[in-house]
Each structure stands twice: as structure tokens, then as C-alpha cells.
Amino acid sequence: EGQIGTCLSESKGRQQRNVPRGFAYDERWQGLADSGQNIHGEADFISGLKPASVLDAGCGTGRVAIELVRRGIDCVGVDLDREMLAVASEKAPTLDWVEADLKDFNLGRTFDIAVLAGNVMIFVLSGSEELVINQVARHLCAGRLVVSGFSLHPGGTGLADYAALMKRLGLSPAGRWSTWQREPFTGGSYAVSAHRKN
């Protein structure tokens, strides 16, 4: 909620990084919410763009998609991790949850915004990033946005590589921030980037 060589799934990336999954993943967010923190920064950001429809690519347990739907936005969540999707489906059984690999899925429809929250870009394995973004962008209406937020770690996806990837795929820069609260990007360990489909 999500490197050169063979393309593997985002769920395998999660497992290899020992990231909590399923209900254990949700417990962390619930703890933050219980402590009074806003756990819906991504939904705040996306809903502020006034989309009618959103593709939550790498939706995990559905935290972002469920909140967007609560705000009246049509949203579909896609993830390959069956355990994460099972939790999403239990929490919101009427929402559209699709089990599929982000590098080759096809929903047969387009969206106003595609969001890759929860560090999706560092959970896909090396070599699959361009395939993932290409497939996500195919599900966008012309002129609409891909928005992603991910940590910037040595050896991971860097902003220069990410910008080059987006340019190759015909996506133009539309903004960059250091947080989902739209704080200006001045460097640091996290970035939220928006790119527009031409």
C-alpha cells in the first residue's frame, strides 16, 4: 500500500522486506489513529484534486481507497497480495478489490487519478518499475495524474531515475512535495510526485 532483473510481484517485494501484512499491517495505522494522528494524508491530498474516480494501485488493506470512497469518490483497489486484499475486502466488502499484478493488469476502464501510496514504488522489484507505471498510466484519462509517494533510500528508486522513467512514458511533471500535506520538497528522505499523462 505497492532494481534490475526479473520482474516479480509487489507482494513478493513486501515479503522480502519483512513488512507486516494483513491485519498486522493495519494495526500500525490503527495505533497512529488512536494516538490522534491523521492517517489519511494521501486521501486528503487526492480528494483535494477533486477527481471523480481513482485507481489505488498497490492498495494493500485498502486504507486509502476506503477513505476516498467514504468521501464520495469512485475508487478501485488493485494489489497482488491476497492476504492484504482479504483484509481490505473484510473491511469494505462492497468496494471493488482486484487481485492482479500491477505490471500487467487490465481493468477495462480509465480513471481521473492513479495513486501509488504506501511506498508502492519501492515494493516492486528491480526492473518492474517502468512496466508498473506504464500499465497504471494506461488506466488514466488523457491529461490526468499519476501521484506516487515513496521513501528515498540509497539503492532504491531515486527521483532522477523516476523522473526519467516518467519522461520515457510520456508523463510530464506536475508537482513534487515532501509530504502528503503538500509541504514543499527541498530534499530529504520522502517525496510525493505528480505526473500528468499527455
Side-chain angles (χ1 to χ4, degrees):
E1 201 189 289
Q3 309 167 21
I4 306 302
T6 304
C7 297
L8 299 177
S9 72
E10 54 271 21
S11 67
K12 290 180 182 175
R14 273 199 198 100
Q15 293 164 15
Q16 289 177 356
R17 290 167 175 80
N18 298 314
V19 173
R21 296 166 63 233
F23 285 108
Y25 177 83
D26 265 8
E27 285 175 2
R28 172 177 174 265
W29 292 103
Q30 188 59 51
L32 292 171
D34 291 345
S35 72
Q37 294 190 50
N38 176 18
I39 64 168
H40 296 302
E42 300 98 329
D44 292 342
F45 184 103
I46 297 300
S47 61
L49 298 172
K50 308 297 185 188
S53 59
V54 173
L55 167 62
D56 185 359
C59 63
T61 60
R63 177 178 56 87
V64 176
I66 291 169
E67 181 62 18
L68 289 172
V69 169
R70 190 187 70 78
R71 299 180 189 200
I73 299 168
D74 174 31
C75 193
V76 175
V78 178
D79 204 292
L80 188 58
D81 191 320
R82 186 170 295 175
E83 185 176 344
M84 301 288 265
L85 283 179
V87 174
S89 184
E90 184 170 328
K91 292 191 299 184
T94 62
L95 271 62
D96 288 329
W97 306 112
V98 178
E99 183 181 338
D101 195 320
L102 293 180
K103 64 181 171 54
D104 58 13
F105 73 108
N106 184 0
L107 302 181
R109 61 168 292 190
T110 55
F111 299 83
D112 291 334
I113 291 178
V115 60
L116 296 94
N119 279 319
V120 171
M121 288 308 296
I122 65 172
F123 287 138
V124 299
L125 294 188
S126 184
S128 66
E129 299 93 345
E130 189 160 342
L131 292 171
V132 166
I133 294 296
N134 184 58
Q135 207 61 23
V136 166
R138 286 184 177 185
H139 287 80
L140 276 183
C141 304
R144 302 300 186 165
L145 297 174
V146 174
V147 182
S148 64
F150 55 90
S151 298
L152 305 173
H153 297 305
T157 301
L159 290 180
D161 289 340
Y162 187 68
L165 178 161
M166 297 307 245
K167 185 176 182 179
R168 286 195 301 274
L169 294 175
L171 294 151
S172 303
R176 176 164 289 146
W177 302 266
S178 64
T179 67
W180 291 99
Q181 288 73 38
R182 297 177 181 264
E183 295 174 21
F185 184 77
T186 56
S189 61
Y190 193 85
V192 176
S193 302
H195 288 80
R196 192 174 304 281
K197 181 176 180 178
N198 297 324

